[in-house]
Amino acid sequence: MTNQTRVASVQELESVFQQELATDRWAAAETAYALAVRHRDADDWEKSREWVKQTLQLLEGFPAETEEQVATQRTSVGGVDLPNYLHEGVVRSRFGDLG
């Protein structure tokens, strides 16, 4: 999946996530966030909750004191727009009780 703006299937995103988890944990956090959004938008609340938790777990390993530290590296993943900044507060505000 080289085109980050194309709408990818959930299976494609999960495959990308697994690759990123081994090589780029920040990218994996962005992809986990995208998967949480995709499942939420499909009304699959349980899967969305799982991906929210995965996103939050990954974000725990990164500093979050400055905007530069929490700025997303991509504008979208698999057709899901990412927020400009990705940190626990953003995830919890976007997903509410799912977080």
Side-chain angles (χ1 to χ4, degrees), residues 33 83 85-95:
Y33 175 89
Y85 304 104
L86 189 57
H87 54 80
E88 180 182 0
V90 168
V91 174
R92 292 195 184 281
S93 71
R94 302 261 172 115
F95 289 95

Side-chain angles (χ1 to χ4, degrees), residues 51-60 88 91-92 99:
W51 285 107
V52 167
K53 288 179 182 179
Q54 182 69 56
T55 303
L56 292 171
Q57 287 176 341
L58 287 166
L59 291 175
E60 284 178 7
E88 180 182 0
V91 174
R92 292 195 184 281

Side-chain angles (χ1 to χ4, degrees), residues 17-94:
F17 171 79
Q18 291 301 324
Q19 293 170 350
E20 291 170 344
L21 195 56
T23 60
D24 185 343
R25 291 178 57 85
W26 183 261
E30 291 179 348
T31 301
Y33 175 89
L35 280 158
V37 170
R38 290 287 296 278
H39 285 292
R40 181 194 62 198
D41 291 351
D43 293 331
D44 188 344
W45 306 110
E46 190 58 38
K47 283 284 192 184
S48 183
R49 181 176 287 112
E50 290 173 22
W51 285 107
V52 167
K53 288 179 182 179
Q54 182 69 56
T55 303
L56 292 171
Q57 287 176 341
L58 287 166
L59 291 175
E60 284 178 7
F62 292 99
E65 288 81 37
T66 68
E67 287 183 354
E68 291 81 23
Q69 292 172 327
V70 297
T72 51
Q73 297 172 355
R74 302 173 282 186
T75 57
S76 70
V77 173
V80 175
D81 290 336
L82 295 178
N84 292 330
Y85 304 104
L86 189 57
H87 54 80
E88 180 182 0
V90 168
V91 174
R92 292 195 184 281
S93 71
R94 302 261 172 115

